[in-house]
Amino acid sequence: MTEGRVNESNGYGIRRRIRYERRAEEPPSIAAATALAQYYGDDVTAASTQLYDYIDPDALDSLFADTNRGGSRAGGTVEFETDDAVVTIRPERVDVRPID
């Protein structure tokens, strides 16, 4: 499986900021789980932070899915917090940053 691209930048907190560029065919839930694993320095298959502990992955994917007529939905943003990070999901990328 080809992975999206991860850009890391050092933040001023304990954790670094992660920007994960999502591939068009990659579900937002997979992109968010991968970005969270990168943020925590985990392997995505053995990540200590599970996405479903914070947000319903199926509902997240539905928010960004094509309409019933096959058209794209208008751009939007979903944001949620884990214990120590803010995850922002956009159609083209996922950003993870420390809680300010």
Side-chain angles (χ1 to χ4, degrees), residues 69-90:
R69 294 184 181 183
S72 295
R73 295 189 191 276
T77 302
V78 173
E79 188 170 278
F80 64 94
E81 290 184 4
T82 65
D83 295 330
D84 62 351
V86 176
V87 181
T88 305
I89 303 165
R90 294 177 175 84

Side-chain angles (χ1 to χ4, degrees), residues 1-8 18-38 44 91-94:
M1 166 168 55
T2 305
E3 293 184 16
R5 192 170 36 128
V6 175
N7 296 320
E8 300 177 17
I18 297 294
R19 175 171 285 176
Y20 181 85
E21 304 291 335
R22 186 170 76 90
R23 295 174 291 123
E25 69 278 0
E26 183 178 34
S29 61
I30 299 298
T34 302
L36 273 170
Q38 283 286 165
V44 72
E92 71 284 353
R93 74 174 192 260
V94 178

Side-chain angles (χ1 to χ4, degrees), residues 23-85:
R23 295 174 291 123
E25 69 278 0
E26 183 178 34
S29 61
I30 299 298
T34 302
L36 273 170
Q38 283 286 165
Y39 179 78
Y40 289 109
D42 291 337
D43 180 302
V44 72
T45 59
S48 59
T49 300
Q50 301 295 321
L51 184 65
Y52 57 78
D53 289 337
Y54 301 98
I55 193 167
D56 180 333
D58 293 329
L60 176 62
D61 291 342
S62 294
L63 290 171
F64 290 96
D66 288 342
T67 65
N68 289 336
R69 294 184 181 183
S72 295
R73 295 189 191 276
T77 302
V78 173
E79 188 170 278
F80 64 94
E81 290 184 4
T82 65
D83 295 330
D84 62 351

